[in-house]
Amino acid sequence: MDFDEVVRTTFTCREFTGESIPEKDLEKLLEQARFAPSGGNRQGWHVIAVRDPKLRQQFSKWIRPTFQLYLAQQQAGESPWNSIIPTRVTAEEAKKIDFSFPLLDSIETVPVILVVALDLSLVASFDKDHERVGVISGASIYPFVWNLLLAARNSGYGGALTTFLVAGESEVQEALNLPSHFSIAAMVPLGRPKKQLTKLKRKPVAEFATWDTLDGTPIGKLES
Ligand SMILES: Cc1cc2nc3c(=O)[nH]c(=O)nc-3n(C[C@H](O)[C@H](O)[C@H](O)COP(=O)(O)O)c2cc1C
């Protein structure tokens, strides 16, 4: 596939056919992903492919309350889990949210479930002393995850960058023999997509890129 097609059609795939991924294919995806950049080229990632169906179901259980709160905030018109505007949703309201989410409901059937951990002892977290929430550390791991998803798309597979497993971080660390300085950056399901989406909803360039200042001329408009 050409780059333009890969980048425009790598959607968030959460439902898969029953086809498994041969280990050599999985290795190839990781082989391509590993060329991602990281701060100081420290490559603090570790990937664990979790096969145990019971542990996967446990992941779902750890995720559910956090996802309920996410959905409740969404229903209340909030931007879920943002660190700037406090939520008006209570824990009791969130607990009442009933939902079905195939990825969580049948997690044991997903061809591959990867847990992507990040060794924080290797990460240059340049904003660690800021009062706002940290954003820099993620830049040493998510390019790797995104490379993996682009590689998957290019090979006819699909997957999703999910982060909600962090809700059970200490339990996950214990189950996977990860020391506490390995943060849970993502849980990535992979497989053959049940359906391939090709039209992703994204803002046009002029809505998010400007010359010189936030309210400057949108990029693409000066010469048009
Ligand atoms: C940082 C990040 C965290 C995400 N966390 C989750 C998650 O926890 N669960 C999930 O189902 N999807 C998660 N997603 C997927 C987003 O919901 C998805 O990228 C977005 O809705 C766009 O979907 P599309 O790529 O199919 O257009 C996450 C995506 C990113 C980039």
Side-chain angles (χ1 to χ4, degrees), residues 38-45 118-125 140 181-182:
S38 56
N41 201 19
R42 300 308 302 267
Q43 303 171 56
W45 43 75
L118 176 63
D119 181 349
L120 292 176
S121 71
L122 296 178
V123 174
S125 302
S140 280
H181 61 279
F182 276 77

Side-chain angles (χ1 to χ4, degrees), residues 37-39 135-144:
S38 56
V135 294
I136 303 294
S137 314
S140 280
I141 190 67
Y142 295 115
F144 171 85

